[in-house]
Amino acid sequence: GYLDPNEPTPEATVASLASCVRVHPPGVITKYSNSGVTVVGQTTAAVAGISFADYQHANVLGPLGMNSSGWVLDKNLKRRFAIGYLPVADGKGGFNEIPTPRFELGTVPAGNLYTTCEDLSRFVRCLFANGRIEDGRLLKPETIEQMFTPQLTTNASGFGHGFSVGKYRGRKSVSHSGAVYGFSSSLVALPNEKLAAIVLANDDVAMGPVRRLSNDALNLLLAVKLGEAKPKPTPTFKADLAFLRSCAGHYESESYWAEITVADGGNGLLINMSGQRLNLRPVGKKSFQASGRVAHRTSANFTTNKAGRATGFGLFGRTFVRATAPVDAEIPESWKKFLGSYGADFVPLIVTARHGHLYAMTENFFDYRLTPLNGSVFKMPPGMYVNEELVFQADARGRIHTAVLANMSLKRTR
């Protein structure tokens, strides 16, 4: 799968799923799944009798004139390939940025398209034209409609086929964003206005800057095409220093830990949220906007007690409360053998202890809080791996040699 650098084929990835256990029954919940999209891609290949990459070239990339795109690297793409940069967790709360290693993913259909902004614009123009291309039709209008309609929900917002459906400045938007080793990307389209912003960045986990660029581009396009003024940012609020100081401290949610300090000069707050650092700019008495590598102007709102002292806050859909145990609180002796690193050195799974709980850093992204299910199995919290399990395997002497995350075996490295 995604954490395997040994370049398994998509066929091998799909075959490996036979021994896996479903987290949820079919049709019950929408869940992020690279493996699921890989199954769809390999089904297409099996029916067509050719590889997924060849099918895409013949039926999508070629007809659209996306001549600088491909699902596997050829000589032309290798020559033009940008160097990606990957911040690798060091196990000490920091990251070391390295040039990204190159290898083909075993989940090719789920996120391995080599492309350019210009080529993606050809794809978007086809969507805006209801599937028409210069010499015919690539997709039926009703197919486009389904792609742009949230599935398995009656809400106007949700996930369609391949696109997140929502609103941008009151207008319907369809989008897809993400990251792959060393790169971050975003495609946001306003189908009714036929405007789109495409941003490709050669840095991993850079959603904050990418979203800022995307929003600025869309605002400029709306100004040029429709004459709409660019929205003014929410002005900075003059926060009370005593309140800011009351916000400082250690917090936990069901998914993440957080440490808040007062910014130099007392004009805001700084937060380290499970390894990712953000600036909190005050925009109201108890309201802030979080910006940094993983966010751009994301709302953070504090709660207070009768004395006006901060007791908690909400951020990224999580509710944080003051940590009840110190950072270095003791963990059960039986857990200490799980501490350490597992998997490939450029995308390690790092198990640490904080506030008396175990946390697992995955994909150089966040520390996720683990909930014990038994002596060697822990449940992952809401987030990327919601309801998945982390299973530790030991040898005959009780020494931990492997961590199995979402059915992916990761060998211990330290």
Side-chain angles (χ1 to χ4, degrees):
Y2 185 73
L3 303 184
D4 188 346
N6 295 314
E7 300 189 302
T9 64
E11 292 89 344
T13 299
V14 172
S16 74
L17 299 176
S19 62
C20 296
V21 177
R22 290 195 304 264
V23 180
H24 302 284
V28 173
I29 190 172
T30 299
K31 188 175 187 296
Y32 190 99
S33 175
N34 286 327
S35 298
V37 179
T38 304
V39 169
V40 174
Q42 282 308 109
T43 301
T44 302
V47 172
I50 57 176
S51 71
F52 176 80
D54 288 343
Y55 181 87
Q56 286 281 311
H57 179 75
N59 294 280
V60 181
L61 304 182
L64 286 174
M66 296 176 65
N67 300 320
S68 295
S69 302
W71 289 90
V72 293
L73 282 177
D74 58 22
K75 290 182 179 180
N76 180 50
L77 294 177
K78 284 183 179 179
R79 178 176 57 84
R80 302 174 58 191
F81 194 68
I83 297 174
Y85 294 92
L86 181 66
V88 179
D90 61 11
K92 303 175 183 178
F95 296 86
N96 298 314
E97 192 159 72
I98 66 170
T100 304
R102 292 188 189 181
F103 60 91
E104 301 287 9
L105 296 174
T107 52
V108 165
N112 208 55
L113 177 65
Y114 302 98
T115 190
T116 64
C117 285
E118 291 84 357
D119 268 14
L120 287 176
S121 72
R122 296 175 183 271
F123 170 67
V124 173
R125 288 201 295 271
C126 173
L127 300 180
F128 286 166
N130 277 326
R132 293 190 305 273
I133 55 178
E134 290 183 3
D135 56 354
R137 180 173 291 281
L138 187 68
L139 292 170
K140 298 176 182 179
E142 51 266 35
T143 301
I144 302 286
E145 182 180 1
Q146 284 297 303
M147 292 166 67
F148 292 176
T149 301
Q151 302 294 311
L152 303 175
T153 179
T154 58
N155 295 330
S157 298
F159 212 83
H161 289 302
F163 289 95
S164 178
V165 183
K167 295 284 186 180
Y168 184 79
R169 292 178 57 183
R171 294 175 167 82
K172 180 176 182 177
S173 66
V174 294
S175 62
H176 196 105
S177 61
V180 69
Y181 299 121
F183 299 89
S184 303
S185 62
S186 171
L187 187 160
V188 183
L190 310 180
N192 295 328
E193 291 72 23
K194 292 183 169 54
L195 296 174
I198 299 163
V199 181
L200 305 179
N202 63 331
D203 199 2
D204 200 3
V205 193
M207 293 83 76
V210 165
R211 175 166 291 184
R212 178 179 179 178
L213 288 169
S214 178
N215 290 353
D216 284 347
L218 285 172
N219 291 336
L220 289 171
L221 290 169
L222 287 168
V224 170
K225 186 169 185 177
L226 302 179
E228 294 189 1
K230 179 181 178 181
K232 295 181 180 180
T234 305
T236 299
F237 179 80
K238 180 61 177 177
D240 179 68
L241 183 58
F243 174 71
L244 293 178
R245 288 172 175 165
S246 83
C247 294
H250 297 277
Y251 299 80
E252 280 191 302
S253 73
E254 62 178 335
S255 300
Y256 312 115
W257 59 265
E259 181 179 0
I260 292 179
T261 57
V262 178
D264 289 342
N267 58 351
L269 298 170
L270 303 175
I271 181 172
N272 182 347
M273 196 188 86
S274 267
Q276 295 294 339
R277 300 175 185 274
L278 299 162
N279 296 313
L280 295 180
R281 182 174 68 91
V283 294
K285 189 174 181 180
K286 295 184 288 186
S287 302
F288 296 76
Q289 286 185 345
S291 295
R293 176 180 281 273
V294 299
H296 175 60
R297 295 179 181 172
T298 299
S299 295
N301 299 294
F302 280 79
T303 56
T304 58
N305 58 19
K306 292 181 179 179
R309 184 176 183 272
T311 56
F313 64 94
L315 180 61
F316 290 141
R318 305 288 181 266
T319 299
F320 289 79
V321 297
R322 296 259 179 197
T324 57
V327 174
D328 58 354
E330 276 292 311
I331 59 173
E333 189 67 28
S334 61
W335 289 2
K336 293 181 181 179
K337 62 179 178 288
F338 302 136
L339 302 175
S341 294
Y342 305 79
D345 57 359
F346 63 91
V347 57
L349 172 84
I350 302 175
V351 180
T352 56
R354 195 176 181 96
H355 301 299
H357 305 290
L358 288 186
Y359 278 87
M361 166 70 74
T362 65
E363 298 187 43
N364 300 307
F365 199 19
F366 287 118
D367 283 333
Y368 290 102
R369 181 171 165 177
L370 302 177
T371 299
L373 298 180
N374 59 39
S376 59
V377 180
F378 292 78
K379 182 179 179 180
M380 296 291 286
M384 185 70 76
Y385 292 92
V386 58
N387 290 335
E388 298 283 2
E389 294 179 354
L390 181 60
V391 182
F392 294 97
Q393 297 179 337
D395 61 19
R397 297 183 179 181
R399 294 176 299 191
I400 303 301
H401 58 78
T402 301
V404 181
L405 172 63
N407 295 295
M408 295 178 287
S409 294
L410 308 173
K411 298 299 181 182
R412 184 169 200 150
T413 55
R414 66 172 177 84

